[in-house]
């Protein structure tokens, strides 16, 4: 969830790791901190009461953007993806 300072950074070139180290330590979340939201969403009773489609940020429910709730755009996206999948099977 978001930018997290994990072991994945070891896959970048050493010069890049060295260059970004101060920024990562100050600006990125630790993997332990980032995992708290995931654990909360899985384990809390409050999270289980939220309706489908809700998402959590740092243990609180966040409203999706207005654009992401646009049913007309959602249908267009669905149609495009469905056509792409059909085309790949043929």
């Amino acid at each position: 969830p978001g930018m997290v300072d994990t072991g994945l950074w070891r896959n970048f070139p050493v010069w890049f790791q060295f260059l970004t180290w101060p920024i990562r330590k100050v600006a990125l979340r630790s993997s332990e901190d980032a995992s708290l939201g995931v654990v909360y969403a899985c384990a809390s009773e409050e999270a289980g009461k939220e309706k489908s489609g809700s998402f959590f940020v740092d243990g609180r429910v966040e409203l999706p953007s207005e654009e992401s709730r646009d049913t007309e755009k959602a249908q267009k996206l669905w149609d495009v993806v469905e056509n792409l999948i059909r085309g790949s099977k043929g």
Side-chain angles (χ1 to χ4, degrees):
M3 292 296 293
V4 180
D5 188 18
T6 67
L8 292 174
W9 290 94
R10 71 179 176 273
N11 296 311
F12 287 90
V14 173
W15 67 265
F16 187 77
Q17 293 177 44
F18 180 77
L19 184 69
T20 61
W21 184 84
I23 297 166
R24 288 186 282 130
K25 294 303 168 195
V26 172
L28 303 186
R29 304 167 75 176
S30 70
S31 56
E32 293 82 9
D33 185 42
S35 67
L36 293 176
V38 175
V39 171
Y40 175 81
C42 293
S44 77
E45 289 185 29
E46 295 87 19
K49 294 176 184 174
E50 292 298 324
K51 63 182 180 179
S52 177
S54 298
F55 66 97
F56 296 86
V57 175
D58 297 332
R60 68 182 187 282
V61 176
E62 285 284 323
L63 257 180
S65 68
E66 188 175 322
E67 188 173 38
S68 72
R69 294 177 278 154
D70 185 325
T71 55
E72 189 174 310
K73 287 182 181 180
Q75 185 60 53
K76 287 179 183 177
L77 176 61
W78 181 274
D79 293 340
V80 167
V81 171
E82 191 172 48
N83 287 331
L84 286 169
I85 291 170
R86 281 190 189 137
S88 69
K89 291 182 180 180

